[in-house]
Amino acid sequence: MAYRKKLIEVALPLEAINRESAREKSLRHGHPSTLHLWWARRPLAAARAVLFASLVDDPGNDLPPDAAAKERERLHRLIERLVKWENAHDEAVLHEARLEIARSLAREKGLALPDPPTPEAVRAFLEEHAPPVLDPFAGGGSIPLEAQRLASCPWPATSTRSPCSSTRP
């Protein structure tokens, strides 16, 4: 089986991710950082973008260069919507992201996607087939939280009890 590059290995919309990560620091209402202070909290926007791009195949694996660039731009626009805090609970955006992850997993494992790809069916597919996200330094819980939001099974671990217990699935 040939190695398939992931989107994170080729390109990311860093300007949008950095902008939303910086903006997150000023959010106070409804943001998880208000529940539990942690000295080295990772921005949720960056965690969400990195997890998505780590799980989605780069279009260059299957498409000619021009078509791959166009598809990569579509995925970048999805990431730009995905990293906005206002969209963190938007089921339409999350479903679109989960569907892209499911497509990559189905291709990789030779499986068929659910038909029709309803949000519930895609989430069930991901719960069964998505790789676990292991975070040995869970700290404030940004990576496990976002892995769970994108329908992966997070396994956080840390030497501090409070953040670890707050991130257990």
Side-chain angles (χ1 to χ4, degrees):
M1 179 182 210
Y3 177 73
R4 298 183 62 80
K5 283 188 177 182
K6 296 298 182 183
L7 186 60
I8 195 169
E9 296 176 81
V10 178
L12 286 175
L14 292 176
E15 189 174 312
I17 296 167
N18 290 340
R19 182 179 55 247
E20 290 302 319
S21 294
R23 189 173 148 257
E24 246 182 48
K25 289 183 179 184
S26 65
L27 295 175
R28 292 293 170 241
H29 183 69
H31 195 273
S33 66
T34 61
L35 296 175
H36 164 62
L37 294 177
W38 187 252
W39 60 276
R41 183 172 301 280
R42 303 294 178 253
L44 297 178
R48 204 165 31 254
V50 166
L51 286 164
F52 174 81
S54 297
L55 293 169
V56 172
D57 291 340
D58 179 66
N61 292 318
D62 303 310
L63 300 173
D66 289 345
K70 188 174 181 181
E71 178 64 8
R72 200 174 289 121
E73 184 57 36
R74 185 187 70 78
L75 292 172
H76 285 185
R77 285 193 308 273
L78 173 55
I79 291 173
E80 288 172 10
R81 286 184 287 131
L82 189 62
V83 297
K84 291 181 186 273
W85 175 247
E86 295 79 11
N87 293 337
H89 301 289
D90 184 329
E91 281 303 318
V93 174
L94 291 172
H95 174 64
E96 191 176 346
R98 290 174 186 141
L99 186 55
E100 290 299 331
I101 294 168
R103 280 187 184 121
S104 290
L105 287 170
R107 240 186 331 264
E108 178 184 320
K109 295 182 176 195
L111 301 170
L113 280 174
D115 186 28
T118 63
E120 296 78 20
V122 170
R123 192 154 181 117
F125 178 88
L126 289 172
E127 286 172 3
E128 184 176 344
H129 299 289
V133 173
L134 308 174
D135 186 2
F137 305 103
S142 297
I143 293 170
L145 174 69
E146 294 306 330
Q148 195 166 20
R149 190 185 319 266
L150 292 175
S152 186
C153 180
W155 289 97
T158 184
S159 59
T160 307
R161 283 187 55 85
S162 62
C164 188
S165 61
S166 68
T167 58
R168 292 279 184 217

